[in-house]
Amino acid sequence: MSTSGIDLDGHHEETAQPALFANRLKVYPKAVKGPVRRIKWALLVVMLGIYYILPWVRWDRGPGRPDQALLLDMEGRRGYFFNLEIWPDEIYYLAGLLILAAVLLFLVTSLYGRLWCGYACPQTVWTDLFMWVERLIEGDRAERIRNDKAKLTVRKAGRKIAKHMVWLVIAALTGGAWIMYFRDAPTVTVELLTGSASGMAYSMFALFTVTTYVLAGWAREQVCTYMCPWPRFQAAMLDDQTVTVTYQGWRGETRGKYRKGESFEGRGDCVDCAQCVQVCPTGIDIRDGIQLECINCGLCVDACDNVMEKLHRPKSLITWDTFANQAALGRGETPKPMKLIRPRTMIYTGLIVVLGAVMLAQLLTRTRVDTTLIRDRAPLFVTLSDGSIRNGYTLKITNRRVEPASFAVMVDGPEGLKATVHLADGQELPADDVEVRGDGVGSLRMFVSMPRAIIPEEQTPLHVTVRNQTTGEEAHVDTMFVAPPSGADRTQRSNSVAPVQMP
């Protein structure tokens, strides 16, 4: 890119301008062996195992109930987590869990850097799996680079096709496993394979298959560098006591190439072999310091330790340490243990304790009965034939227990009021024996009437209690009883509402 201009002598000259965009430099991570790599393999197996196997775990909840241990039943509008059942109006449990997880992530990051990114993030886990398949089929770093530069041959095309076919199989298994969390796993598997699944199921299956294939197979480190917001504000979580992957420059510099038999006197331990760069999944040089692209995976630690071992030099030229310790070592001082207790970690820990306690208390005290009460607005009230005033309400009783239950409906208000409960077809029910099916909602009509003489004001507060007659669990709701103004003319009242007979 260039622009033309005129210099002081009046001559035209071309001025080079930096490009606003740069093409991606493909990263070819090299395989590495060591304790960090073994830990990552172990975590990868555990996390993938949990993801793929958990939908198939069964949990007996009784006849006619879903027996999948973890299920977000969209059709039945329930969330099942082993012995815990969550209803739609209890979505705040999920919100609280997400907030708790976010604060926990803040705490871990402030202590040990981007451990989530390097070891547990789905993007990291599936990219690791895809790169393992790539190395298995196409070879390690040097061979892949050489093959990509070579002309297309039958062998090269076959290896490429085989790699992408395996990637697509893994992506399809990932997409299929995802929808199993929202529908019974054996059922949806048969439906998908026989072509009888819903359009939504196939759409979600295709969506997660494509995104897994693209993000883990093609985008890779670009997701971490450009798409993920976490690297942008992770710096706010770090301080000089945070343990991160770091290059010990005080020991490694001045770096330079090394020939066998040479002395390390007067030079640093770094032999500038670039092994730390070659094994990095994001292609950065850790010797340049902490960077936005670094996911703190620690594979460069294994690579450097392997080189130091061959050179008979001390390991941990690249290691996990705090900024404060590295500064102290650079000054020749003795490093100190990391300070676990500091303002930000205390704040995060306090938030976790408070949020966890609130959620646990709410969970332990939750009842299996709930109720909602909506007063009729048209008409606001009805004048009965005996002169009393009646209000109508829609009453819904939620029975969160598996078995049917009998409920008593009690209304507290001025002495002399009368409350009746009816089915939708008008059939009156005993107020102390309203039956609601298990795991269901009973929709009822409730009428409250009062003699005009005992109504204290235009709006009288009422308190409604719904009690499970077997367990004693209660739900409470407050409402208002509306009456005409005390000084209103009888004729004016009769023009707005017609007298009706008592039910």
Side-chain angles (χ1 to χ4, degrees):
M1 178 179 179
S2 64
T3 58
S4 62
I6 301 176
D7 61 15
L8 295 177
D9 297 326
H11 299 107
H12 287 274
E13 62 177 10
E14 296 290 327
T15 304
Q17 297 291 332
L20 296 179
F21 301 97
N23 292 329
R24 177 200 178 197
L25 297 176
K26 187 174 180 180
V27 179
Y28 294 86
K30 182 180 179 180
V32 63
K33 296 181 180 179
V36 176
R37 180 67 268 182
R38 288 194 292 271
I39 292 173
K40 282 179 66 65
W41 281 134
L43 290 175
L44 181 144
V45 171
V46 170
M47 286 183 285
L48 289 179
I50 291 173
Y51 176 77
Y52 289 116
I53 296 173
L54 190 55
W56 296 89
V57 177
R58 302 292 97 181
W59 190 269
D60 185 18
R61 297 185 180 91
R65 308 276 291 173
D67 63 349
Q68 188 164 308
L70 182 60
L71 177 65
L72 295 175
D73 186 1
M74 305 304 288
E75 293 182 2
R77 299 182 181 181
R78 301 287 186 276
Y80 299 97
F81 303 90
F82 295 93
N83 202 39
L84 180 64
E85 180 179 346
I86 301 297
W87 283 55
D89 59 342
E90 295 178 316
I91 192 65
Y92 52 82
Y93 284 116
L94 178 59
L97 187 63
L98 293 176
I99 295 172
L100 195 62
V103 179
L104 181 60
L105 179 60
F106 296 162
L107 175 62
V108 172
T109 302
S110 67
L111 291 172
Y112 301 106
R114 293 173 64 181
L115 279 187
W116 163 260
C117 300
Y119 293 86
C121 175
Q123 175 64 22
T124 298
V125 172
W126 265 270
T127 298
D128 235 1
L129 178 61
F130 274 47
M131 288 193 297
W132 175 76
V133 171
E134 186 175 57
R135 283 192 293 267
L136 194 65
I137 297 175
E138 294 189 351
D140 206 356
R141 181 177 189 273
E143 187 176 358
R144 295 200 307 275
I145 294 176
R146 186 170 56 253
N147 289 339
D148 282 356
K149 291 180 179 180
K151 293 181 179 180
L152 183 63
T153 63
V154 174
R155 183 173 183 270
K156 177 180 177 179
R159 294 170 78 177
K160 292 285 185 182
I161 292 173
K163 177 187 73 174
H164 287 281
M165 291 299 295
V166 176
W167 280 1
L168 284 171
V169 170
I170 295 173
L173 292 174
T174 303
W178 178 256
I179 62 176
M180 292 176 190
Y181 285 92
F182 299 89
R183 184 162 169 76
D184 182 65
T187 303
V188 76
T189 300
V190 172
E191 291 176 347
L192 287 173
L193 295 177
T194 59
S196 59
S198 65
M200 179 60 71
Y202 282 114
S203 298
M204 297 303 293
F205 169 74
L207 174 64
F208 282 93
T209 298
V210 171
T211 52
T212 302
Y213 173 71
V214 171
L215 296 183
W218 292 89
R220 294 188 175 179
E221 79 285 347
Q222 296 180 99
V223 176
C224 306
T225 304
Y226 301 111
M227 297 173 62
C228 180
W230 183 239
R232 267 73 187 169
F233 57 85
Q234 62 155 336
M237 310 293 165
L238 307 182
D239 56 28
D240 64 351
Q241 293 295 322
T242 302
V243 175
T244 59
V245 175
T246 182
Y247 165 68
Q248 303 197 86
W250 61 270
R251 174 188 152 192
E253 302 299 327
T254 304
R255 74 185 75 161
K257 297 297 182 180
Y258 173 77
R259 291 182 178 85
K260 188 175 181 180
E262 288 183 348
S263 172
F264 278 89
E265 290 293 333
R267 57 160 293 164
D269 281 350
C270 178
V271 296
D272 206 14
C273 62
Q275 290 297 304
C276 55
V277 180
Q278 294 178 16
V279 302
C280 179
T282 61
I284 66 166
D285 190 340
I286 191 62
R287 295 171 296 179
D288 295 336
I290 189 168
Q291 299 157 65
L292 176 146
E293 297 88 349
C294 179
I295 61 173
N296 217 40
C297 65
L299 293 178
C300 53
V301 176
D302 278 348
C304 189
D305 281 353
N306 292 339
V307 173
M308 292 295 104
E309 186 176 9
K310 292 177 182 178
L311 298 176
H312 306 290
R313 300 297 297 170
K315 294 183 179 181
S316 300
L317 179 58
I318 300 176
T319 186
W320 275 277
D321 203 355
T322 65
F323 301 119
N325 278 350
Q326 284 302 300
L329 289 168
R331 296 189 299 266
E333 301 173 0
T334 302
K336 299 178 181 179
M338 177 187 66
K339 295 180 181 178
L340 290 174
I341 301 176
R342 49 191 197 267
R344 69 180 63 214
T345 59
M346 292 176 64
I347 292 173
Y348 295 147
T349 303
L351 289 174
I352 292 172
V353 171
V354 171
L355 287 171
V358 170
M359 289 187 61
L360 183 61
Q362 182 69 23
L363 194 61
L364 293 177
T365 58
R366 69 195 289 251
T367 63
R368 301 296 185 91
V369 56
D370 194 13
T371 185
T372 59
L373 188 66
I374 303 175
R375 182 171 53 80
D376 294 349
R377 298 187 178 276
L380 290 175
F381 55 87
V382 172
T383 303
L384 302 178
S385 58
D386 63 354
S388 60
I389 306 300
R390 187 182 75 179
N391 282 193
Y393 303 84
T394 298
L395 173 66
K396 292 188 176 182
I397 301 175
T398 303
N399 178 19
R400 294 194 171 99
R401 293 189 174 275
V402 178
E403 63 278 357
S406 175
F407 294 90
V409 180
M410 298 161 285
V411 181
D412 294 328
E415 188 175 353
L417 69 78
K418 180 182 177 183
T420 58
V421 179
H422 302 255
L423 294 175
D425 60 6
Q427 177 185 349
E428 184 174 349
L429 301 174
D432 59 351
D433 188 18
V434 178
E435 186 159 322
V436 178
R437 63 182 176 88
D439 194 26
V441 179
S443 185
L444 308 162
R445 292 286 293 161
M446 186 178 78
F447 296 102
V448 178
S449 58
M450 292 190 225
R452 189 68 182 87
I454 69 169
I455 300 176
E457 50 190 337
E458 294 179 31
Q459 294 190 355
T460 304
L462 301 178
H463 183 77
V464 180
T465 301
V466 176
R467 177 185 298 156
N468 186 315
Q469 295 287 62
T470 303
T471 65
E473 295 174 301
E474 294 183 349
H476 303 268
V477 62
D478 292 313
T479 187
M480 301 298 293
F481 183 91
V482 178
S486 57
D489 182 77
R490 186 179 185 85
T491 303
Q492 293 176 339
R493 296 201 308 271
S494 63
N495 288 336
S496 59
V497 290
V500 300
Q501 297 294 325
M502 290 283 288

